[in-house]
């Protein structure tokens, strides 16, 4: 390479362009200085120096704004355009370098030196390089399709390495700075090497572009194809009158999933199942299984929640309006409301309303929901034997469904209903599993935020549900389940309460149901009392409601037949309508008896009086027990018998009585099963009465367990037993000393009429229960 002597020549700065030697191209020139430079070049010998601007945005470039290496070019043609710009055809001649900028105002003028390439003699390495460049350029042209085949042909015919490098460079999509770098590379071999690098890179990039393009095209084609096919399917189904068939169903289900507001993991599962459903033929058996599953997922409430009405006074009014008495339960509900108002985050409590039938357990749960303004749902657990009834069946089974809990939640429509589990003590277990064990998870506030149903498969949050369970017999509920519930005992109603319930609730309801009005029927208070005393014997009010319904029916018949215009029910007309009394009010003995004592019993139907009779007959000392007694009650009789034998001297009984007499203990109402230890002192009293001849006072009732040493142990159900004593017309009740604390639960009206005697030993019982001493037998 050699520098020629310097020349002075006009300069034309280019924006975004670079002209290589041997390149011929058109330029549009508009800047004033550039136009002046061109005109000066035409005056001289049509030669001009072309260089590129470093920064394209500069309108008036200075010396530092231009590259100092450029191209000496010849102006071949000039044409003035109507808009004032000049179109020029230039041909690059040689590489050149600016040595010095001349001071001129009207255009750029420079002193430049031409940079000549030395003739390297085309050695074999250069030849190989040239061939490689032509080959790579050919491949590039085939991939890019941006260069014409004529250009490729002309490149293949070039034999000079420098010219080849420049022509190939001019056809590559390079930035000005990269082209400038090639222009400034004077060594031909280096230039060819650099071009080879650039061609390899370009080929890689183009290959990737092609792949991406094909992928995009394929997915677009697939989408368009699917759209086209769907539209065709719709048209065919429309013609067949199939109302858009399965496709319409899929879209409908997709809409339901979107609206259901499910948790993210459940939504993902739903869409996955929907995708399976869409691909599955309608005739497939599994198709309907998947559809049912998706519909269940969309119908269960996942986030819908009702707003609690946390107004204690309002709740109190509603509970009082719906139920007479039941103060403990009402108090518990109001406490829950109060805490909820303070914390806003209390987990739903698990209440168990335990009590005899007909006291309003189920309707109380409905009232709680009304007071809280929550949705109410009830499921009955009576007779449920299969664990799958609670947790659901897996989807592999034919006709699989979610369990009753999830079904109840769907019915409720919100995640925080009042959920009544009726008759929880009536669940049983068999070979299909133990449903009470499945209930453990439902009723555990620490676990039920992730309840697992076999059918739904995803966990479900039950922590905001207020569960209320009902039971007649708490002892029938398994211990672990009982431990998770808060037991609220509801005893039977007193006569006064029953009268209030009949007057305020039952009578108006039955009058309305039978199409009567207050003007057509009037039931006197003493008539209601007679109904309660002589026609019903129960802890609740269900039988009472039935008797009132009978009275209303009889009255309706009289009014419709024209016999009466208005019916007034008095104690006398009650007997006309309902026949002779079904029960004897006041079951207390008419007079003091020997060998007959009145005990107080507690059954699932409430409290009851229990008459225990003892008879002696000459024999060999056999002890016979009759009256369908359970094992515990038989053992109580044996304990009483043993105690009497051990204390025969103190009790002034013949020590050999067990060898001289056969003793028969009978508890009347033989068909009714009876069990429990609380008749212990009653049996002992009746036995001692029979053996000593001392009469048992008719007005005394008693309850308590006895030990072999004569100690009296506490019992349960004192409230119910007291009410049965009151109903039976007793005046004095003997109870264990340890049950004294339970007296405050007994209604005042009952407590006022009864005298309670607390005892710790059988001697005290005998003192109060037996009359004056007579000759012993």
């Amino acid at each position: 390479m050699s520098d020629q002597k310097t020349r002075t020549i006009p300069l034309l700065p280019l924006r975004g362009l670079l002209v290589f030697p041997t390149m011929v191209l058109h330029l549009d020139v508009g800047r004033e200085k550039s136009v002046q430079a061109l005109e000066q070049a035409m005056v001289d010998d049509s030669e001009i120096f072309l260089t590129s601007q470093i920064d394209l945005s500069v309108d008036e470039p200075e010396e530092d704004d231009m590259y100092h290496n450029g191209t000496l070019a010849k102006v071949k043609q000039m044409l003035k355009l109507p808009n004032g710009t000049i179109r020029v055809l230039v041909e690059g001649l040689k590489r050149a370098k600016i040595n010095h900028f001349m001071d001129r105002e009207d255009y750029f003028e420079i002193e430049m030196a031409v940079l000549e390439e030395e003739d390297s003699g085309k050695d074999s390495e250069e030849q190989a390089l040239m061939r490689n460049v032509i080959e790579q350029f050919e491949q590039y042209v085939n991939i890019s399709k941006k260069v014409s085949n004529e250009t490729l042909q002309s490149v293949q015919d070039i034999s000079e390495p420098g010219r080849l490098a420049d022509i190939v460079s001019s056809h590559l999509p390079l930035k000005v700075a990269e082209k400038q770098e090639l222009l400034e590379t004077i060594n031909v071999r280096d230039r060819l090497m650099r071009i080879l690098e650039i061609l390899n890179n370009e080929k890689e990039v183009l290959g990737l572009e092609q792949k991406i393009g094909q992928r995009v095209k394929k997915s677009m084609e697939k989408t368009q194809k699917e759209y086209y096919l769907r539209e065709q399917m719709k048209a065919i189904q429309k013609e067949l009158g199939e109302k858009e068939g399965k496709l319409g169903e899929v879209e409908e289900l997709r809409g339901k999933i979107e609206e259901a507001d499910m948790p993210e993991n459940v939504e993902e599962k739903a869409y996955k199942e929907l995708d399976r459903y869409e691909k599955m033929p309608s005739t497939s058996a599994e198709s309907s299984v998947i559809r049912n599953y998706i519909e269940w997922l969309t119908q269960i409430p996942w986030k819908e929640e009702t707003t609690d009405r946390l107004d204690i006074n309002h709740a109190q009014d509603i509970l009082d309006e719906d139920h007479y008495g039941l103060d403990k339960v009402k108090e518990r509900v109001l406490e829950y409301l109060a805490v909820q108002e303070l914390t806003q985050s209390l987990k739903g409590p698990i209440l168990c309303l335990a009590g005899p039938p007909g006291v309003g357990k189920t309707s109380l749960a409905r009232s709680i929901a009304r007071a809280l303004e929550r949705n109410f749902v009830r499921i009955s657990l009576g007779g449920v034997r299969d664990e799958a009834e609670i947790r659901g069946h897996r989807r592999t089974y034919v006709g699989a469904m979610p369990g009753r809990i999830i079904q109840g939640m769907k019915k409720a429509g919100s995640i925080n209903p009042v959920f009544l589990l009726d008759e929880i003590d009536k669940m049983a277990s068999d070979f299909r599993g133990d449903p009470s064990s499945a209930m453990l998870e439902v009723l555990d506030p620490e676990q039920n935020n992730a309840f697992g149903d076999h059918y739904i498969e995803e966990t479900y949050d039950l922590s905001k549900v207020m569960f209320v369970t009902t039971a007649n017999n708490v002892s029938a509920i398994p211990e672990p389940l009982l431990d998770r519930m808060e037991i609220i005992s509801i005893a039977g109603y007193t006569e006064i309460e029953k009268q209030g319930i009949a007057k305020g609730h039952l009578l108006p309801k039955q009058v309305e149901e039978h199409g009567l009005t207050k003007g057509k029927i009037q039931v006197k208070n003493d008539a209601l009392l007679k109904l309660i005393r002589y026609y019903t014997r129960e802890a609740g009010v269900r039988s009472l409601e039935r008797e009132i319904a009978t009275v209303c029916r009889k009255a309706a018949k009289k009014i419709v037949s024209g016999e009466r215009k208005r019916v007034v029910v008095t104690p006398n007309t009650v007997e006309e309508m309902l026949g002779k009394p079904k029960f004897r009010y006041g079951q207390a003995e008419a007079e003091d008896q020997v060998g007959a004592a009145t005990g107080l019993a507690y059954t699932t139907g409430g409290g009851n009086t229990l008459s225990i009779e003892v008879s002696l007959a000459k024999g060999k000392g056999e002890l016979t027990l009759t009256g369908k007694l359970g094992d515990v009650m038989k053992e109580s009789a044996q304990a009483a018998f043993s105690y009497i034998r051990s204390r025969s001297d103190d009790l002034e009984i013949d020590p050999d009585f067990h060898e001289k007499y056969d003793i028969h203990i009978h508890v009347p109402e033989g068909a009714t099963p009876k069990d429990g230890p609380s008749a212990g002192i009653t049996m002992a009293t009746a036995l001692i009465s029979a053996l000593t001849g001392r009469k048992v006072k008719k007005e005394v009732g008693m309850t308590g367990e006895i030990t072999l040493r004569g100690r009296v142990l506490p019992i349960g159900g004192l409230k119910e037993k007291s009410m049965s004593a009151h109903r039976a017309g007793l005046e004095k009740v003997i109870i264990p000393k340890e049950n004294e604390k339970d007296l405050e639960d007994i209604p005042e009206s009952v407590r006022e009429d009864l005298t309670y005697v607390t005892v710790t030993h059988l001697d005290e019982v005998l003192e109060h229960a037996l009359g004056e001493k007579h000759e012993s037998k």
Side-chain angles (χ1 to χ4, degrees):
M1 179 193 78
S2 63
D3 278 17
Q4 286 188 346
K5 65 178 185 174
T6 56
R7 289 170 55 189
T8 304
I9 192 167
L11 168 86
L12 177 62
L14 303 175
R15 280 204 283 195
L17 272 176
L18 188 141
V19 178
F20 283 101
T22 72
M23 232 177 117
V24 178
L25 82 160
H26 280 98
L27 304 172
D28 283 349
V29 180
R31 288 188 284 195
E32 205 174 317
K33 278 190 173 184
S34 301
V35 172
Q36 290 285 344
L38 275 170
E39 285 175 353
Q40 185 59 41
M42 295 305 287
V43 171
D44 297 340
D45 53 3
S46 299
E47 287 187 342
I48 194 161
F49 187 85
L50 302 176
T51 189
S52 298
Q53 274 183 217
I54 297 168
D55 187 354
L56 305 185
S57 61
V58 179
D59 275 335
E60 300 290 336
E62 300 293 330
E63 184 179 341
D64 294 338
D65 297 325
M66 294 175 269
Y67 291 109
H68 284 215
N69 279 42
T71 307
L72 174 64
K74 191 167 186 71
V75 179
K76 307 281 276 183
Q77 193 180 350
M78 244 177 89
L79 177 68
K80 282 195 176 181
L81 297 174
N83 62 0
T85 57
I86 296 173
R87 181 158 288 174
V88 191
L89 182 68
V90 294
E91 181 188 4
L93 300 173
K94 292 184 176 179
R95 282 172 169 75
K97 184 180 179 185
I98 301 170
N99 284 344
H100 179 61
F101 270 82
M102 314 294 280
D103 288 332
R104 283 191 73 94
E105 286 288 323
D106 44 357
Y107 63 90
F108 292 111
E109 192 174 46
I110 55 145
E111 197 179 84
M112 65 132 212
V114 174
L115 303 171
E116 288 286 356
E117 292 174 7
E118 289 178 3
D119 187 10
S120 57
K122 286 188 199 169
D123 59 12
S124 55
E125 192 182 335
E126 207 168 76
Q127 285 285 343
L129 267 171
M130 282 177 68
R131 279 186 195 174
N132 213 334
V133 166
I134 290 166
E135 194 182 312
Q136 296 286 356
F137 186 63
E138 193 177 339
Q139 288 175 14
Y140 166 76
V141 169
N142 288 336
I143 297 170
S144 80
K145 309 288 183 192
K146 288 178 185 173
V147 183
S148 66
N149 284 328
E150 290 79 5
T151 308
L152 181 61
Q153 196 65 49
S154 64
V155 167
Q156 285 170 336
D157 294 340
I158 296 169
S159 56
E160 297 160 31
R163 188 160 170 250
L164 174 69
D166 289 343
I167 293 288
V168 170
S169 301
S170 68
H171 284 99
L172 292 174
L174 303 173
K175 292 177 183 171
V176 172
E178 292 171 319
K179 286 186 176 181
Q180 183 69 30
E181 189 191 327
L182 287 168
L183 184 71
E184 289 177 9
T185 309
I186 307 299
N187 188 306
V188 177
R189 195 168 294 175
D190 290 349
R191 210 183 314 153
L192 286 167
M193 289 294 286
R194 178 74 186 120
I195 286 166
L196 266 177
E197 271 179 47
I198 291 167
L199 279 166
N200 274 324
N201 280 348
E202 280 299 314
K203 269 167 57 194
E204 263 187 56
V205 170
L206 282 169
L208 282 170
E209 273 182 14
Q210 231 175 6
K211 271 186 189 170
I212 292 164
Q214 282 171 347
R215 208 177 294 150
V216 169
K217 188 182 174 191
K218 203 177 275 180
S219 72
M220 276 180 68
E221 280 175 358
K222 187 185 174 189
T223 309
Q224 285 168 340
K225 184 182 174 186
E226 280 179 6
Y227 174 74
Y228 177 67
L229 288 171
R230 274 202 187 98
E231 289 303 310
Q232 269 193 329
M233 203 186 288
K234 277 184 188 175
I236 292 164
Q237 284 167 344
K238 204 170 183 182
E239 286 299 314
L240 292 170
E242 285 186 13
K243 291 184 183 171
E244 297 196 2
K246 189 168 183 179
L247 203 70
E249 279 181 19
V250 169
E251 289 311 309
E252 186 189 327
L253 288 172
R254 186 171 275 113
K256 283 182 180 177
I257 292 169
E258 282 167 17
E259 287 167 23
D261 195 18
M262 304 173 185
E264 205 173 309
N265 58 323
V266 181
E267 195 170 282
E268 201 177 304
K269 180 85 180 273
Y271 279 125
K272 198 174 172 186
E273 292 294 326
L274 184 65
D275 197 39
R276 279 181 66 210
Y277 177 65
E278 194 173 6
K279 290 170 184 168
M280 203 167 276
S282 303
T283 49
S284 163
E286 203 178 344
S287 177
S288 63
V289 172
I290 296 171
R291 187 198 162 97
N292 284 346
Y293 177 67
I294 296 169
E295 285 196 330
W296 268 106
L297 285 185
T298 58
Q299 286 166 0
I300 303 167
W302 293 98
K303 290 178 185 171
E304 292 109 67
E305 193 171 343
T306 54
T307 309
D308 286 353
R309 180 164 181 177
L310 303 173
D311 181 346
I312 287 186
N313 296 327
H314 166 76
Q316 178 88 58
D317 292 344
I318 285 198
L319 294 171
D320 287 344
E321 184 187 316
D322 290 355
H323 292 87
Y324 191 96
L326 306 179
D327 297 329
K328 262 196 174 180
V329 200
K330 292 176 184 176
E331 186 67 26
R332 180 63 187 88
V333 175
L334 298 177
E335 284 167 8
Y336 166 71
L337 273 180
V339 178
Q340 184 82 328
E341 193 170 343
L342 292 174
T343 62
Q344 299 292 323
S345 62
L346 187 68
K347 287 177 180 172
I350 319 289
L351 304 179
C352 178
L353 306 178
V359 291
K361 298 184 297 294
T362 305
S363 63
L364 188 66
R366 206 180 294 274
S367 294
I368 292 171
R370 195 158 81 90
L372 290 169
E373 292 190 357
R374 287 190 179 195
N375 296 341
F376 175 75
V377 65
R378 171 191 170 271
I379 62 167
S380 175
L381 297 173
V384 170
R385 291 173 170 271
D386 189 355
E387 180 247 1
E389 290 259 351
I390 308 297
R391 282 188 182 280
H393 294 84
R394 299 197 185 279
R395 281 194 288 153
T396 46
Y397 292 101
V398 176
M401 280 180 79
R404 293 196 184 194
I405 301 296
I406 294 292
Q407 286 180 37
M409 293 307 291
K410 175 194 164 188
K411 204 183 290 179
S414 64
I415 59 167
N416 62 336
V418 171
F419 201 126
L420 176 64
L421 300 165
D422 223 353
E423 312 287 3
I424 200 163
D425 56 327
K426 309 289 190 302
M427 280 193 297
S429 61
D430 65 5
F431 63 91
R432 287 166 293 195
D434 182 2
S436 64
S437 300
M439 289 301 293
L440 293 177
E441 188 187 6
V442 177
L443 297 180
D444 191 333
E446 297 303 318
Q447 293 178 38
N448 65 11
N449 61 334
F451 171 67
D453 184 276
H454 293 321
Y455 182 84
I456 299 298
E457 290 172 1
E458 299 296 328
T459 58
Y460 190 82
D461 185 0
L462 294 171
S463 62
K464 292 188 177 177
V465 178
M466 184 176 187
F467 284 105
V468 180
T469 65
T470 70
N472 297 137
N473 182 12
V474 174
S475 61
I477 304 172
E479 197 63 41
L481 193 56
L482 197 62
D483 185 48
R484 284 162 169 80
M485 299 186 288
E486 185 176 336
I487 308 294
I488 298 175
S489 293
I490 303 176
Y493 295 112
T494 62
E495 267 184 9
I496 297 165
E497 285 174 333
K498 282 186 183 178
Q499 221 171 336
I501 293 165
K503 214 169 168 186
H505 298 275
L506 307 181
L507 190 57
K509 179 184 166 190
Q510 292 302 327
V511 164
E512 190 184 334
E513 280 184 13
H514 288 82
L516 301 167
T517 60
K518 281 184 181 176
K520 289 180 179 175
I521 185 169
Q522 185 190 355
V523 181
K524 298 280 189 185
N525 285 349
D526 46 1
L528 278 177
L529 195 59
K530 186 167 183 177
L531 272 176
I532 294 162
R533 284 180 172 178
Y534 296 98
Y535 292 88
T536 63
R537 176 156 294 150
E538 57 177 347
V541 288
R542 217 168 257 149
S543 295
L544 178 58
E545 188 171 9
R546 277 196 290 273
E547 297 302 332
I548 291 172
T550 308
V551 168
C552 289
R553 279 200 308 277
K554 304 275 185 194
K557 186 190 167 202
K558 285 182 179 180
I559 290 164
V560 171
S561 65
E563 190 182 325
R564 299 265 180 88
K565 283 188 179 177
R566 184 168 183 268
V567 176
V568 178
V569 183
T570 63
N572 295 333
T573 53
V574 165
E575 209 163 311
E576 276 177 41
M577 289 175 154
L578 301 178
K580 294 288 180 196
K582 297 177 184 174
F583 301 100
R584 183 162 58 87
Y585 178 70
Q587 278 187 306
E589 299 291 339
E591 52 189 41
D592 296 353
Q593 300 276 339
V594 172
T598 305
L600 303 175
Y602 176 56
T603 65
T604 53
N608 216 336
T609 52
L610 208 61
S611 185
I612 292 178
E613 300 172 349
V614 176
S615 73
L616 302 178
K618 287 191 176 179
K620 297 176 183 176
E622 279 185 23
L623 177 65
T624 310
L625 302 165
T626 56
K628 206 168 185 184
L629 309 184
D631 291 341
V632 178
M633 208 160 177
K634 285 177 182 173
E635 285 162 10
S636 288
Q638 295 282 1
F641 185 68
S642 298
Y643 170 74
I644 293 164
R645 280 186 65 189
S646 68
R647 294 281 311 278
S648 57
D649 290 343
D650 296 341
L651 295 168
E652 297 180 12
I653 296 170
D654 181 355
D656 300 324
F657 75 90
H658 61 282
E659 290 173 359
K660 296 178 182 175
Y661 301 106
D662 285 342
I663 299 170
H664 185 164
I665 300 175
H666 177 67
V667 184
E669 294 184 33
T672 311
K674 307 164 196 77
D675 202 4
S678 63
I681 64 169
T682 319
M683 286 181 171
T685 305
L687 258 169
I688 292 166
S689 166
L691 290 164
T692 59
R694 292 171 69 184
K695 291 183 177 179
V696 181
K697 294 175 183 174
K698 64 178 188 299
E699 71 278 3
V700 175
M702 60 193 81
T703 179
E705 184 178 350
I706 191 171
T707 71
L708 287 175
R709 291 174 294 155
R711 284 181 56 229
V712 179
L713 300 184
I715 42 78
L718 183 64
K719 182 179 177 184
E720 290 81 356
K721 289 175 177 176
S722 297
M723 286 161 76
S724 71
H726 185 255
R727 223 174 18 241
L730 299 175
E731 293 169 16
K732 187 186 280 190
V733 178
I734 299 170
I735 62 167
K737 178 79 174 167
E738 287 180 52
N739 281 112
E740 199 170 0
K741 62 183 187 304
D742 300 324
L743 290 174
E744 61 186 46
D745 293 339
I746 296 162
E748 206 173 319
S749 58
V750 173
R751 218 163 46 218
E752 281 173 2
D753 291 350
L754 292 174
T755 305
Y756 287 93
V757 178
T758 59
V759 296
T760 55
H761 197 274
L762 189 62
D763 292 348
E764 296 168 60
V765 177
L766 300 177
E767 195 181 311
H768 290 281
L770 297 182
E772 289 304 312
K773 186 172 173 289
H774 292 277
E775 276 186 39
S776 63
K777 290 194 176 186

